[in-house]
Amino acid sequence: MNNAKILRVDKIGAPLSWISPQEASTFIMNARVLWTLGEETVVLRGGINCLGERSILEIPAIIATKGRNKKANDTPALCRSVIYARDHYSCLYCGEQPGVPLLSLDHVIPVSRGGPTTFQNLVTACRRCNTFKRDRTPEEANMKLLAVPFVPSKHEFLYLSNRRILKPEQLAYLKSGIRDELLYAA
């Protein structure tokens, strides 16, 4: 499982980030893991000692670590792929799912009108709808949004940013903090 990711949470269980098994092993070996959840996701094999024994480290699916992730903040990083996933790869004007190459991001309130580049002002749009809307508001273009854009919670962000969740424990853990609308596409 080369692409396996370990879910890192803080001591109270708030999700922090996806980390590699190698990063998780560093937390384990430095005694910075407070508790774990789930079965082993990855088994790392080390060198062979003078007795001919190979070292083995089993990495669980979820680890709670001491301290906070200094890079973590409550608002997830704005990213095209997360917005596409949040909007289920659908145009929020016509509802079509033309595929990623034909999708674009649209500012609901255009930048030329002072619209910010935020989760609440960005939606997935097919190129046809985005071209038709141009630098107008949806009302001016006589277009209706099919859903309200929102800022994903940390649970939702981690779920949306790793669609290859390998362990059911990780998915169940993240689902506890996810709105039902996001889960229908799971």
Side-chain angles (χ1 to χ4, degrees), residues 9-28:
V9 299
D10 65 13
K11 63 184 173 184
I12 61 170
L16 295 172
S17 61
W18 291 109
I19 60 175
S20 70
Q22 292 75 19
E23 290 171 296
S25 70
T26 301
F27 283 108
I28 293 167

Side-chain angles (χ1 to χ4, degrees), residues 94-162:
C94 70
E96 302 259 337
Q97 290 183 313
V100 174
L102 298 177
L103 290 176
S104 62
L105 292 181
D106 178 58
H107 286 79
V108 177
I109 299 170
V111 174
S112 63
R113 306 261 187 103
T117 301
T118 61
F119 276 108
Q120 300 96 321
N121 194 46
L122 284 170
V123 296
T124 302
C126 67
R127 291 203 177 147
R128 186 188 57 168
C129 286
N130 206 348
T131 300
F132 177 78
K133 183 177 166 281
R134 298 187 319 246
D135 65 343
R136 301 179 286 179
T137 65
E139 295 79 22
E140 293 168 343
N142 200 24
M143 300 171 82
K144 187 175 179 181
L145 276 173
L146 300 176
V148 177
F150 61 90
V151 179
S153 70
K154 195 67 172 185
H155 285 81
E156 292 164 339
F157 177 75
L158 291 171
Y159 170 74
L160 294 169
S161 65
N162 183 16

Side-chain angles (χ1 to χ4, degrees), residues 27 42 46 51 54 60-61 75 90 94 102 124 139 142 152 156 165 173 178:
F27 283 108
V42 177
L51 301 174
R54 179 177 290 266
T75 304
S90 301
C94 70
L102 298 177
T124 302
E139 295 79 22
N142 200 24
E156 292 164 339
I165 297 173
Y173 195 88
I178 296 178

